[in-house]
Amino acid sequence: MRRHLNTLYVTTENAWLHKDGENAVVKAHGVELGRVPVHLLGSIVCIGSIGVTPSLVGHCAERGVRISMMGRNGRFLARIEGPVSGNVLLRRSQYRAADTAERTAAIAGHIVTGKLLNQRTVVRRALRDHGAHSPPEVSARLRTCERRMSDAARRSAIPQAIDVLRGIEGEAARAYYAVFNDLVRSYERTFAFCRRSRRPPLDPVNALLSFLYSLLVLDYRSALETVGLDPAVGFLHRERPGRPSLALDLMEEFRPVLADRLALSLINRRQLAASDFETAVTGSVTMREEARKKVLVAYQNRKKDELVHPFLREKTTIGLVPFVQANLMARHLRGDVDGYPPFLWR
């Protein structure tokens, strides 16, 4: 099994990263904030106005450590990496599959089914944990959503055209986010959730979700490149210049498991407060620096949790699931596995 490498997140504004021997060192205003041996890192993520010296860039590129740059709101800006060692035969198989309508729809169908079943599990857990203490109308809404997710998953499991699958996924997403506010147990009005808003996020819950989704897509992109797949050529998401469509595809089934549940835990356990967010004059909501640090620590700790992979029946960590799923996609495209097995949370 692949070794679980760490990710170094740098969030201090105007900090600089430089190389000192075999270490990546973070400094701000002439003060050293920390150092990490590069051989223990899988990637470095810089959030906000962060500088990186050329010597560290070259050192990381030689050792396969990717450096990603993100805005303060978590939006991906740029990525620095060394030579990509993709398997040309595997990528040719990927491109041929993406050019075949039937295979594209079959792979997308498995991805959508996995996502819908995992969203249903989030709703079921809320009913299990809080249903007896919730108002009857809240429980009724959650049970209705559960039935809709089950019905949508059954339909997506049947061979469908790709546009039909996208319609099913969109319909289920609306039903899921319609009850998301019922999953929030905080009584602070700050965390009221009305609808999903992305660009820009218009409330703290959306800002938190978007930030976590951005972290997750970076993990999947790295996993896909590690196994030799092209992150830009997907099956469910339409291809656009600069969009990592396959990374977005595979993260769909894992968003409810890692990002959604973590966001709800941080809010419901009152680890985040209204003061952790700020609103711009445009209405865009972003997390403050200290809040981002809290979220990053919780994200990294959550990735260390162990589980048994439902398809491989082997113990792994949540942080390695993107790598496992990327490997399963590669095995399917090579013809070693009949269909792509999505990650199903239990």
PDB file of all heavy atoms in Angstrom, residues 60-77:
ATOM      1  N   CYS A  60      11.855  20.558  -4.979  1.00  0.00           N
ATOM      2  CA  CYS A  60      10.574  19.830  -4.929  1.00  0.00           C
ATOM      3  C   CYS A  60      10.276  19.136  -6.253  1.00  0.00           C
ATOM      4  O   CYS A  60       9.777  18.009  -6.280  1.00  0.00           O
ATOM      5  CB  CYS A  60       9.438  20.784  -4.561  1.00  0.00           C
ATOM      6  SG  CYS A  60       9.490  21.364  -2.845  1.00  0.00           S
ATOM      7  N   ALA A  61      10.583  19.822  -7.360  1.00  0.00           N
ATOM      8  CA  ALA A  61      10.324  19.228  -8.681  1.00  0.00           C
ATOM      9  C   ALA A  61      11.135  17.955  -8.871  1.00  0.00           C
ATOM     10  O   ALA A  61      10.642  16.958  -9.403  1.00  0.00           O
ATOM     11  CB  ALA A  61      10.633  20.236  -9.776  1.00  0.00           C
ATOM     12  N   GLU A  62      12.377  17.959  -8.423  1.00  0.00           N
ATOM     13  CA  GLU A  62      13.228  16.781  -8.561  1.00  0.00           C
ATOM     14  C   GLU A  62      12.719  15.600  -7.738  1.00  0.00           C
ATOM     15  O   GLU A  62      12.918  14.443  -8.115  1.00  0.00           O
ATOM     16  CB  GLU A  62      14.657  17.123  -8.115  1.00  0.00           C
ATOM     17  CG  GLU A  62      15.398  18.036  -9.073  1.00  0.00           C
ATOM     18  CD  GLU A  62      16.756  18.440  -8.530  1.00  0.00           C
ATOM     19  OE1 GLU A  62      17.065  18.036  -7.373  1.00  0.00           O
ATOM     20  OE2 GLU A  62      17.492  19.149  -9.238  1.00  0.00           O
ATOM     21  N   ARG A  63      12.036  15.883  -6.637  1.00  0.00           N
ATOM     22  CA  ARG A  63      11.578  14.820  -5.726  1.00  0.00           C
ATOM     23  C   ARG A  63      10.091  14.539  -5.839  1.00  0.00           C
ATOM     24  O   ARG A  63       9.525  13.833  -5.002  1.00  0.00           O
ATOM     25  CB  ARG A  63      11.964  15.183  -4.284  1.00  0.00           C
ATOM     26  CG  ARG A  63      13.440  14.966  -4.028  1.00  0.00           C
ATOM     27  CD  ARG A  63      13.983  15.849  -2.930  1.00  0.00           C
ATOM     28  NE  ARG A  63      15.418  15.571  -2.720  1.00  0.00           N
ATOM     29  CZ  ARG A  63      16.364  16.021  -3.535  1.00  0.00           C
ATOM     30  NH1 ARG A  63      16.037  16.750  -4.600  1.00  0.00           N
ATOM     31  NH2 ARG A  63      17.635  15.734  -3.303  1.00  0.00           N
ATOM     32  N   GLY A  64       9.483  15.081  -6.851  1.00  0.00           N
ATOM     33  CA  GLY A  64       8.079  14.766  -7.106  1.00  0.00           C
ATOM     34  C   GLY A  64       7.105  15.399  -6.127  1.00  0.00           C
ATOM     35  O   GLY A  64       5.982  14.904  -5.960  1.00  0.00           O
ATOM     36  N   VAL A  65       7.506  16.485  -5.465  1.00  0.00           N
ATOM     37  CA  VAL A  65       6.618  17.196  -4.540  1.00  0.00           C
ATOM     38  C   VAL A  65       5.979  18.352  -5.295  1.00  0.00           C
ATOM     39  O   VAL A  65       6.672  19.253  -5.782  1.00  0.00           O
ATOM     40  CB  VAL A  65       7.391  17.720  -3.310  1.00  0.00           C
ATOM     41  CG1 VAL A  65       6.454  18.484  -2.374  1.00  0.00           C
ATOM     42  CG2 VAL A  65       8.050  16.562  -2.572  1.00  0.00           C
ATOM     43  N   ARG A  66       4.662  18.334  -5.393  1.00  0.00           N
ATOM     44  CA  ARG A  66       3.944  19.364  -6.147  1.00  0.00           C
ATOM     45  C   ARG A  66       3.665  20.573  -5.272  1.00  0.00           C
ATOM     46  O   ARG A  66       3.344  20.434  -4.099  1.00  0.00           O
ATOM     47  CB  ARG A  66       2.637  18.795  -6.690  1.00  0.00           C
ATOM     48  CG  ARG A  66       2.840  17.597  -7.611  1.00  0.00           C
ATOM     49  CD  ARG A  66       1.501  16.959  -7.990  1.00  0.00           C
ATOM     50  NE  ARG A  66       1.682  15.832  -8.883  1.00  0.00           N
ATOM     51  CZ  ARG A  66       1.904  14.585  -8.488  1.00  0.00           C
ATOM     52  NH1 ARG A  66       1.968  14.311  -7.199  1.00  0.00           N
ATOM     53  NH2 ARG A  66       2.067  13.615  -9.366  1.00  0.00           N
ATOM     54  N   ILE A  67       3.761  21.758  -5.868  1.00  0.00           N
ATOM     55  CA  ILE A  67       3.457  23.001  -5.166  1.00  0.00           C
ATOM     56  C   ILE A  67       2.223  23.620  -5.814  1.00  0.00           C
ATOM     57  O   ILE A  67       2.219  23.881  -7.016  1.00  0.00           O
ATOM     58  CB  ILE A  67       4.643  23.982  -5.223  1.00  0.00           C
ATOM     59  CG1 ILE A  67       5.899  23.341  -4.626  1.00  0.00           C
ATOM     60  CG2 ILE A  67       4.299  25.279  -4.494  1.00  0.00           C
ATOM     61  CD1 ILE A  67       7.149  24.202  -4.759  1.00  0.00           C
ATOM     62  N   SER A  68       1.185  23.843  -5.023  1.00  0.00           N
ATOM     63  CA  SER A  68      -0.061  24.423  -5.531  1.00  0.00           C
ATOM     64  C   SER A  68      -0.279  25.785  -4.891  1.00  0.00           C
ATOM     65  O   SER A  68      -0.026  25.972  -3.698  1.00  0.00           O
ATOM     66  CB  SER A  68      -1.254  23.516  -5.230  1.00  0.00           C
ATOM     67  OG  SER A  68      -1.106  22.264  -5.868  1.00  0.00           O
ATOM     68  N   MET A  69      -0.772  26.726  -5.684  1.00  0.00           N
ATOM     69  CA  MET A  69      -1.062  28.071  -5.201  1.00  0.00           C
ATOM     70  C   MET A  69      -2.575  28.287  -5.248  1.00  0.00           C
ATOM     71  O   MET A  69      -3.216  28.035  -6.269  1.00  0.00           O
ATOM     72  CB  MET A  69      -0.361  29.122  -6.069  1.00  0.00           C
ATOM     73  CG  MET A  69       1.091  28.809  -6.403  1.00  0.00           C
ATOM     74  SD  MET A  69       2.163  28.672  -4.942  1.00  0.00           S
ATOM     75  CE  MET A  69       2.218  30.378  -4.424  1.00  0.00           C
ATOM     76  N   MET A  70      -3.126  28.748  -4.135  1.00  0.00           N
ATOM     77  CA  MET A  70      -4.558  28.996  -4.031  1.00  0.00           C
ATOM     78  C   MET A  70      -4.801  30.403  -3.497  1.00  0.00           C
ATOM     79  O   MET A  70      -3.990  30.941  -2.735  1.00  0.00           O
ATOM     80  CB  MET A  70      -5.214  27.978  -3.085  1.00  0.00           C
ATOM     81  CG  MET A  70      -5.071  26.533  -3.544  1.00  0.00           C
ATOM     82  SD  MET A  70      -5.582  25.343  -2.272  1.00  0.00           S
ATOM     83  CE  MET A  70      -7.336  25.685  -2.181  1.00  0.00           C
ATOM     84  N   GLY A  71      -5.937  30.992  -3.899  1.00  0.00           N
ATOM     85  CA  GLY A  71      -6.319  32.285  -3.353  1.00  0.00           C
ATOM     86  C   GLY A  71      -6.822  32.138  -1.929  1.00  0.00           C
ATOM     87  O   GLY A  71      -7.013  31.029  -1.425  1.00  0.00           O
ATOM     88  N   ARG A  72      -7.076  33.247  -1.264  1.00  0.00           N
ATOM     89  CA  ARG A  72      -7.521  33.203   0.126  1.00  0.00           C
ATOM     90  C   ARG A  72      -8.863  32.508   0.268  1.00  0.00           C
ATOM     91  O   ARG A  72      -9.195  31.978   1.323  1.00  0.00           O
ATOM     92  CB  ARG A  72      -7.617  34.631   0.684  1.00  0.00           C
ATOM     93  CG  ARG A  72      -6.268  35.287   0.865  1.00  0.00           C
ATOM     94  CD  ARG A  72      -6.377  36.696   1.407  1.00  0.00           C
ATOM     95  NE  ARG A  72      -6.968  36.691   2.741  1.00  0.00           N
ATOM     96  CZ  ARG A  72      -8.142  37.241   3.033  1.00  0.00           C
ATOM     97  NH1 ARG A  72      -8.887  37.793   2.087  1.00  0.00           N
ATOM     98  NH2 ARG A  72      -8.593  37.230   4.272  1.00  0.00           N
ATOM     99  N   ASN A  73      -9.670  32.517  -0.800  1.00  0.00           N
ATOM    100  CA  ASN A  73     -10.979  31.857  -0.754  1.00  0.00           C
ATOM    101  C   ASN A  73     -10.899  30.383  -1.145  1.00  0.00           C
ATOM    102  O   ASN A  73     -11.920  29.703  -1.236  1.00  0.00           O
ATOM    103  CB  ASN A  73     -11.967  32.579  -1.667  1.00  0.00           C
ATOM    104  CG  ASN A  73     -11.537  32.588  -3.123  1.00  0.00           C
ATOM    105  OD1 ASN A  73     -10.440  32.127  -3.446  1.00  0.00           O
ATOM    106  ND2 ASN A  73     -12.369  33.113  -3.982  1.00  0.00           N
ATOM    107  N   GLY A  74      -9.674  29.886  -1.381  1.00  0.00           N
ATOM    108  CA  GLY A  74      -9.505  28.483  -1.726  1.00  0.00           C
ATOM    109  C   GLY A  74      -9.537  28.192  -3.209  1.00  0.00           C
ATOM    110  O   GLY A  74      -9.419  27.039  -3.614  1.00  0.00           O
ATOM    111  N   ARG A  75      -9.660  29.210  -4.037  1.00  0.00           N
ATOM    112  CA  ARG A  75      -9.708  28.980  -5.488  1.00  0.00           C
ATOM    113  C   ARG A  75      -8.314  28.635  -6.017  1.00  0.00           C
ATOM    114  O   ARG A  75      -7.326  29.290  -5.692  1.00  0.00           O
ATOM    115  CB  ARG A  75     -10.247  30.216  -6.195  1.00  0.00           C
ATOM    116  CG  ARG A  75     -10.472  29.992  -7.686  1.00  0.00           C
ATOM    117  CD  ARG A  75     -11.118  31.191  -8.338  1.00  0.00           C
ATOM    118  NE  ARG A  75     -11.368  30.946  -9.752  1.00  0.00           N
ATOM    119  CZ  ARG A  75     -11.892  31.832 -10.588  1.00  0.00           C
ATOM    120  NH1 ARG A  75     -12.224  33.027 -10.139  1.00  0.00           N
ATOM    121  NH2 ARG A  75     -12.083  31.528 -11.860  1.00  0.00           N
ATOM    122  N   PHE A  76      -8.252  27.602  -6.837  1.00  0.00           N
ATOM    123  CA  PHE A  76      -6.989  27.158  -7.420  1.00  0.00           C
ATOM    124  C   PHE A  76      -6.450  28.222  -8.373  1.00  0.00           C
ATOM    125  O   PHE A  76      -7.172  28.756  -9.211  1.00  0.00           O
ATOM    126  CB  PHE A  76      -7.199  25.844  -8.175  1.00  0.00           C
ATOM    127  CG  PHE A  76      -5.981  25.365  -8.911  1.00  0.00           C
ATOM    128  CD1 PHE A  76      -4.963  24.724  -8.232  1.00  0.00           C
ATOM    129  CD2 PHE A  76      -5.851  25.564 -10.269  1.00  0.00           C
ATOM    130  CE1 PHE A  76      -3.828  24.282  -8.899  1.00  0.00           C
ATOM    131  CE2 PHE A  76      -4.735  25.125 -10.949  1.00  0.00           C
ATOM    132  CZ  PHE A  76      -3.713  24.485 -10.259  1.00  0.00           C
ATOM    133  N   LEU A  77      -5.149  28.538  -8.253  1.00  0.00           N
ATOM    134  CA  LEU A  77      -4.528  29.547  -9.110  1.00  0.00           C
ATOM    135  C   LEU A  77      -3.464  28.956 -10.026  1.00  0.00           C
ATOM    136  O   LEU A  77      -3.436  29.235 -11.216  1.00  0.00           O
ATOM    137  CB  LEU A  77      -3.894  30.647  -8.243  1.00  0.00           C
ATOM    138  CG  LEU A  77      -4.843  31.441  -7.342  1.00  0.00           C
ATOM    139  CD1 LEU A  77      -4.056  32.416  -6.488  1.00  0.00           C
ATOM    140  CD2 LEU A  77      -5.894  32.175  -8.173  1.00  0.00           C
TER     141      LEU A  77
END
